[in-house]
Amino acid sequence: DGGITQSPKYLFRKEGQNVTLSCEQNLNHDAMYWYRQDPGQGLRLIYYSQIVNDFQKGDIAEGYSVSREKKESFPLTVTSAQKNPTAFYLCASTPIPGRMKNTGELFFGEGSRLTVL
Amino acid sequence: AQKVTQAQTEISVVEKEDVTLDCVYETRDTTYYLFWYKQPPSGELVFLIRRNSFDEQNEISGRYSWNFQKSTSSFNFTITASQVVDSAVYFCALSESDRGSTLGRLYFGRGTQLTVWP
């Protein structure tokens, strides 16, 4: 079945360590996004990528890095520079208008919950 | 400033009651899109509806209905005859452009936790 797979589902990290969250999609979507969700908060955009080898900062990019070497993959690295990394991270994708039927809908993975000990 | 405001943090109802979730948005664009997503306990966001700024017709889908009013910048969501399975966090979101460079960049409200008791 087509969809977005995020791994790991749960991750614990010690302070000062970098950690990479995986996001893979087999929907043939061009655009991919990373959002962060904190309790009682909406989703805030970290990074997004419209095309391979290109990505843009969102509203809260500090302390995070991404890569887009393949269309299917958009991993997010939470670096030690991120001061408060404990959160729920959601990856999403969407087709680009004109390339595929696009309703503007974002397709989401099931999320990765990161806890810093 | 918050582009999307969901003033109700938590709502509790008893099964079969009707419930309305409020959403107020702010944008200067004339072309924009509004969305509702449902987040069950599993965590994945499920798309419910998309509405563009030029279509103010209300929409009904089964027990769900949406009321879009540009005059008050609101896009409210009503669940009729609520069920326990409706318990989830509901997010309202705004996309300000349908240009390829920014489509998919959604601004989310803080969400409303709906609990439906049996």
Side-chain angles (χ1 to χ4, degrees):
Chain A
D1 286 353
I4 299 178
T5 302
Q6 289 187 239
S7 62
K9 196 159 186 156
Y10 298 95
L11 186 60
F12 297 88
R13 185 194 96 175
K14 292 182 180 178
E15 278 194 37
Q17 287 181 338
N18 292 357
V19 62
T20 297
L21 307 180
S22 169
C23 178
E24 303 277 334
Q25 55 100 356
N26 60 5
L27 300 167
N28 199 30
H29 287 172
D30 294 285
M32 297 186 73
Y33 305 80
W34 275 104
Y35 282 88
R36 169 178 171 146
Q37 183 181 10
D38 295 282
Q41 302 285 326
L43 279 67
R44 293 180 291 168
L45 183 65
I46 305 172
Y47 268 99
Y48 64 101
S49 168
Q50 303 280 333
I51 195 170
V52 173
N53 291 324
D54 186 54
F55 46 82
Q56 308 295 328
K57 292 183 179 180
D59 299 321
I60 56 167
E62 186 176 349
Y64 299 98
S65 66
V66 293
S67 63
R68 188 82 187 279
E69 297 176 1
K70 298 186 301 181
K71 185 176 182 178
E72 304 78 23
S73 178
F74 191 41
L76 173 74
T77 297
V78 185
T79 75
S80 56
Q82 168 51 234
K83 298 303 179 190
N84 185 19
T86 294
F88 187 55
Y89 292 88
L90 283 157
C91 180
S93 70
T94 194
I96 293 292
R99 299 278 303 268
M100 293 173 64
K101 181 180 177 183
N102 189 325
T103 63
E105 170 191 355
L106 283 181
F107 295 77
F108 283 88
E110 291 192 344
S112 293
R113 190 169 298 281
L114 172 63
T115 302
V116 174
L117 303 173
Chain B
Q2 194 83 348
K3 287 185 180 285
V4 178
T5 301
Q6 295 179 254
Q8 304 149 309
T9 305
E10 297 181 21
I11 300 177
S12 289
V13 298
V14 177
E15 218 171 11
K16 297 184 184 177
E17 285 186 14
D18 298 347
V19 58
T20 295
L21 309 181
D22 298 333
C23 173
V24 174
Y25 63 92
E26 181 181 334
T27 181
R28 293 181 180 178
D29 282 17
T30 54
T31 301
Y32 55 89
Y33 296 84
L34 295 163
F35 302 79
W36 276 95
Y37 281 85
K38 174 182 179 180
Q39 185 179 40
S42 61
E44 180 179 355
L45 267 73
V46 177
F47 169 80
L48 295 178
I49 190 172
R50 169 195 191 243
R51 173 67 72 210
N52 74 56
S53 53
F54 299 107
D55 182 3
E56 285 194 74
Q57 283 194 343
N58 291 332
E59 181 156 340
I60 298 175
S61 176
R63 296 184 297 107
Y64 295 170
S65 63
W66 291 269
N67 183 283
F68 176 31
Q69 292 196 348
K70 288 177 75 170
S71 61
T72 56
S73 297
S74 65
F75 186 44
N76 297 338
F77 173 31
T78 297
I79 302 175
T80 304
S82 59
Q83 299 177 2
V84 172
V85 293
D86 295 327
S87 297
V89 180
Y90 291 86
F91 290 98
C92 181
L94 165 73
S95 173
E96 289 185 303
S97 172
D98 67 346
R99 288 169 294 179
S101 61
T102 56
L103 185 64
R105 200 226 186 286
L106 298 187
Y107 296 93
F108 285 84
R110 295 192 174 190
T112 298
Q113 170 70 60
L114 173 65
T115 302
V116 181
W117 299 99

